[in-house]
Coordinates of all heavy atoms in Angstrom, one line a residue:
E63 N -7.5 130.5 -36.1 CA -8.5 131.5 -35.8 C -7.8 132.9 -35.9 O -6.7 133.0 -35.7 CB -9.0 131.4 -34.3 CG -9.9 130.2 -34.1 CD -10.5 130.2 -32.7 OE1 -10.2 131.2 -31.9 OE2 -11.2 129.3 -32.4
G64 N -8.6 133.8 -36.4 CA -8.1 135.2 -36.6 C -9.1 136.0 -37.4 O -10.3 135.6 -37.5
E65 N -8.7 137.1 -37.8 CA -9.6 137.9 -38.7 C -10.0 137.1 -39.9 O -9.1 136.5 -40.5 CB -9.1 139.3 -39.0 CG -9.2 140.3 -37.9 CD -8.9 141.7 -38.4 OE1 -8.3 141.8 -39.5 OE2 -9.3 142.6 -37.8
A66 N -11.2 137.2 -40.3 CA -11.6 136.5 -41.5 C -10.9 137.1 -42.7 O -10.7 138.3 -42.8 CB -13.1 136.5 -41.7
S67 N -10.5 136.3 -43.7 CA -10.0 136.8 -45.0 C -11.1 136.6 -46.0 O -12.1 135.8 -45.8 CB -8.8 136.0 -45.4 OG -9.1 134.7 -45.5
S68 N -11.1 137.2 -47.0 CA -12.1 137.2 -48.1 C -11.5 137.2 -49.4 O -10.5 137.9 -49.7 CB -13.1 138.3 -47.9 OG -14.0 138.3 -49.0
R69 N -12.2 136.5 -50.3 CA -11.8 136.6 -51.8 C -13.0 137.2 -52.5 O -14.1 136.8 -52.4 CB -11.5 135.2 -52.3 CG -10.3 134.5 -51.8 CD -10.0 133.2 -52.5 NE -11.1 132.3 -52.3 CZ -11.2 131.1 -52.8 NH1 -10.2 130.7 -53.7 NH2 -12.2 130.3 -52.7
K70 N -12.6 138.1 -53.4 CA -13.6 138.7 -54.3 C -13.6 137.7 -55.5 O -12.6 137.5 -56.2 CB -13.2 140.1 -54.8 CG -14.2 140.7 -55.7 CD -13.7 142.1 -56.1 CE -14.6 142.8 -57.1 NZ -14.1 144.1 -57.5
V71 N -14.8 137.1 -55.7 CA -14.9 136.0 -56.7 C -15.6 136.5 -57.9 O -16.6 137.2 -57.8 CB -15.7 134.8 -56.1 CG1 -15.8 133.7 -57.1 CG2 -15.0 134.3 -54.8
A72 N -15.0 136.3 -59.0 CA -15.5 136.7 -60.3 C -16.7 135.7 -60.7 O -16.9 134.7 -60.0 CB -14.4 136.6 -61.4
A73 N -17.4 136.1 -61.8 CA -18.5 135.3 -62.2 C -18.1 133.8 -62.5 O -19.0 132.9 -62.3 CB -19.2 135.9 -63.4
D74 N -16.9 133.6 -63.0 CA -16.5 132.2 -63.3 C -15.9 131.5 -62.1 O -15.4 130.4 -62.2 CB -15.5 132.3 -64.4 CG -14.2 133.1 -64.1 OD1 -14.1 133.6 -62.9 OD2 -13.3 133.1 -64.9
G75 N -16.0 132.2 -60.9 CA -15.5 131.5 -59.7 C -14.0 131.7 -59.4 O -13.5 131.1 -58.4
T76 N -13.3 132.5 -60.2 CA -11.9 132.6 -60.0 C -11.7 133.8 -59.0 O -12.3 134.8 -59.1 CB -11.2 132.9 -61.3 OG1 -11.7 134.0 -61.9 CG2 -11.2 131.7 -62.1
P77 N -10.8 133.7 -58.1 CA -10.5 134.8 -57.1 C -9.9 136.0 -57.9 O -9.0 135.8 -58.7 CB -9.5 134.2 -56.2 CG -9.4 132.8 -56.4 CD -9.9 132.5 -57.8
E78 N -10.3 137.2 -57.6 CA -9.8 138.4 -58.2 C -8.8 139.1 -57.2 O -7.9 139.7 -57.7 CB -10.9 139.3 -58.6 CG -11.8 138.8 -59.7 CD -12.8 139.7 -60.2 OE1 -13.1 140.7 -59.5 OE2 -13.4 139.6 -61.2
E79 N -9.2 139.2 -56.0 CA -8.3 139.9 -55.0 C -8.6 139.4 -53.6 O -9.6 138.8 -53.3 CB -8.5 141.4 -55.2 CG -9.9 141.9 -54.8 CD -10.2 143.4 -55.0 OE1 -9.6 143.9 -55.9 OE2 -11.0 143.9 -54.3
M80 N -7.7 139.8 -52.7 CA -7.9 139.5 -51.3 C -8.3 140.7 -50.6 O -7.9 141.8 -50.9 CB -6.6 138.9 -50.7 CG -6.1 137.7 -51.4 SD -7.2 136.3 -51.2 CE -7.1 136.0 -49.4
A81 N -9.1 140.6 -49.5 CA -9.5 141.7 -48.7 C -9.7 141.2 -47.3 O -9.6 140.0 -47.0 CB -10.8 142.3 -49.2
T82 N -9.9 142.0 -46.4 CA -10.1 141.7 -45.0 C -11.6 141.8 -44.6 O -12.2 142.8 -44.9 CB -9.3 142.6 -44.0 OG1 -7.9 142.4 -44.4 CG2 -9.5 142.2 -42.6
G83 N -12.1 140.8 -43.9 CA -13.5 140.8 -43.5 C -13.6 140.6 -42.1 O -12.9 139.8 -41.5
R84 N -14.6 141.3 -41.5 CA -14.9 141.2 -40.0 C -16.4 141.0 -39.8 O -17.2 141.6 -40.5 CB -14.4 142.4 -39.3 CG -12.9 142.7 -39.4 CD -12.6 144.1 -38.9 NE -13.2 145.1 -39.7 CZ -13.1 146.4 -39.4 NH1 -12.4 146.8 -38.4 NH2 -13.7 147.3 -40.2
L85 N -16.7 140.1 -38.8 CA -18.1 139.9 -38.5 C -18.7 141.0 -37.6 O -19.8 141.4 -37.8 CB -18.3 138.5 -37.9 CG -18.1 137.3 -38.8 CD1 -18.4 136.0 -38.1 CD2 -19.0 137.4 -40.0
N86 N -17.9 141.4 -36.6 CA -18.4 142.3 -35.6 C -17.5 143.4 -35.4 O -17.0 143.6 -34.3 CB -18.7 141.5 -34.3 CG -19.7 140.4 -34.5 OD1 -20.7 140.7 -35.0 ND2 -19.3 139.3 -34.0
G87 N -17.1 144.1 -36.5 CA -16.2 145.3 -36.2 C -14.8 144.9 -35.7 O -14.2 145.7 -35.1
G88 N -14.4 143.7 -35.9 CA -13.1 143.3 -35.4 C -13.1 142.6 -34.1 O -12.1 142.1 -33.6
A89 N -14.3 142.7 -33.4 CA -14.4 142.2 -32.0 C -14.5 140.7 -32.0 O -14.0 140.1 -31.1 CB -15.6 142.8 -31.3
E90 N -15.1 140.1 -33.0 CA -15.3 138.6 -33.0 C -14.2 137.9 -33.9 O -14.0 138.3 -35.0 CB -16.7 138.3 -33.5 CG -17.0 136.8 -33.5 CD -18.4 136.5 -34.0 OE1 -19.2 137.3 -33.6 OE2 -18.6 135.5 -34.6
K91 N -13.6 136.9 -33.3 CA -12.7 136.1 -34.1 C -13.5 135.1 -34.8 O -14.5 134.5 -34.4 CB -11.6 135.4 -33.2 CG -10.7 136.5 -32.4 CD -9.9 137.2 -33.4 CE -8.9 138.2 -32.7 NZ -8.1 138.9 -33.6
V92 N -13.0 134.7 -36.0 CA -13.7 133.7 -36.9 C -12.9 132.4 -36.8 O -11.8 132.3 -37.1 CB -13.8 134.2 -38.3 CG1 -14.5 133.2 -39.2 CG2 -14.5 135.6 -38.4
S93 N -13.6 131.4 -36.4 CA -13.0 130.1 -36.2 C -13.0 129.3 -37.5 O -13.7 129.7 -38.5 CB -13.7 129.3 -35.1 OG -15.1 129.0 -35.5
V94 N -12.4 128.1 -37.5 CA -12.4 127.3 -38.6 C -13.8 126.8 -39.1 O -14.1 126.6 -40.2 CB -11.5 126.0 -38.4 CG1 -11.5 125.1 -39.5 CG2 -10.1 126.4 -38.0
S95 N -14.7 126.8 -38.1 CA -16.0 126.3 -38.4 C -17.0 127.5 -38.7 O -18.2 127.4 -38.7 CB -16.6 125.6 -37.2 OG -16.6 126.4 -36.0
A96 N -16.4 128.6 -39.1 CA -17.2 129.8 -39.4 C -18.2 129.5 -40.5 O -17.8 128.8 -41.5 CB -16.3 131.0 -39.7
N97 N -19.4 130.1 -40.4 CA -20.4 129.9 -41.4 C -20.0 130.6 -42.6 O -19.8 131.8 -42.7 CB -21.7 130.5 -40.8 CG -22.9 130.0 -41.7 OD1 -22.9 130.1 -42.9 ND2 -24.0 129.6 -41.1
P98 N -19.9 129.8 -43.7 CA -19.5 130.4 -45.0 C -20.5 131.4 -45.6 O -20.2 132.0 -46.6 CB -19.3 129.2 -45.9 CG -20.2 128.2 -45.3 CD -20.2 128.4 -43.9
S99 N -21.7 131.5 -45.0 CA -22.7 132.4 -45.5 C -22.4 133.9 -45.2 O -23.0 134.8 -45.8 CB -24.1 132.1 -45.0 OG -24.5 130.7 -45.4
Y100 N -21.5 134.1 -44.2 CA -21.3 135.5 -43.8 C -20.4 136.2 -44.9 O -19.5 135.7 -45.4 CB -20.5 135.5 -42.5 CG -21.4 135.3 -41.3 CD1 -21.3 134.1 -40.6 CD2 -22.3 136.2 -40.9 CE1 -22.2 133.8 -39.5 CE2 -23.1 136.0 -39.8 CZ -23.1 134.8 -39.1 OH -23.9 134.6 -38.0
C101 N -20.9 137.5 -45.1 CA -20.2 138.4 -46.1 C -20.0 139.7 -45.5 O -20.5 140.0 -44.3 CB -21.1 138.5 -47.3 SG -21.5 137.0 -48.2
F102 N -19.3 140.6 -46.1 CA -19.0 141.9 -45.6 C -18.8 142.9 -46.7 O -18.6 142.6 -47.8 CB -17.7 141.8 -44.7 CG -16.5 141.7 -45.5 CD1 -15.6 142.8 -45.7 CD2 -16.0 140.4 -45.9 CE1 -14.5 142.7 -46.4 CE2 -14.8 140.3 -46.6 CZ -14.1 141.4 -46.9
V103 N -19.0 144.2 -46.3 CA -18.8 145.3 -47.2 C -17.3 145.8 -47.0 O -17.0 146.1 -45.9 CB -19.8 146.4 -46.9 CG1 -19.5 147.6 -47.9 CG2 -21.2 145.9 -47.0

């Protein structure tokens, strides 16, 4: 558990870069069972 990580995925599905993602402004921790539908700006 911890802050969510994110991959910017290219059109072919290959990761381009790593970034940090948060669901609730850093207040909420993301568990192993986190819904993969969540995205972030």
Side-chain angles (χ1 to χ4, degrees):
E63 291 190 1
E65 280 196 340
S67 61
S68 173
R69 294 184 299 175
K70 184 180 178 182
V71 180
D74 61 359
T76 56
E78 292 184 344
E79 63 184 30
M80 300 296 294
T82 300
R84 298 169 296 177
L85 289 183
N86 300 309
E90 179 178 328
K91 298 296 184 179
V92 182
S93 67
V94 177
S95 60
N97 191 316
S99 297
Y100 284 106
C101 303
F102 72 99
V103 182

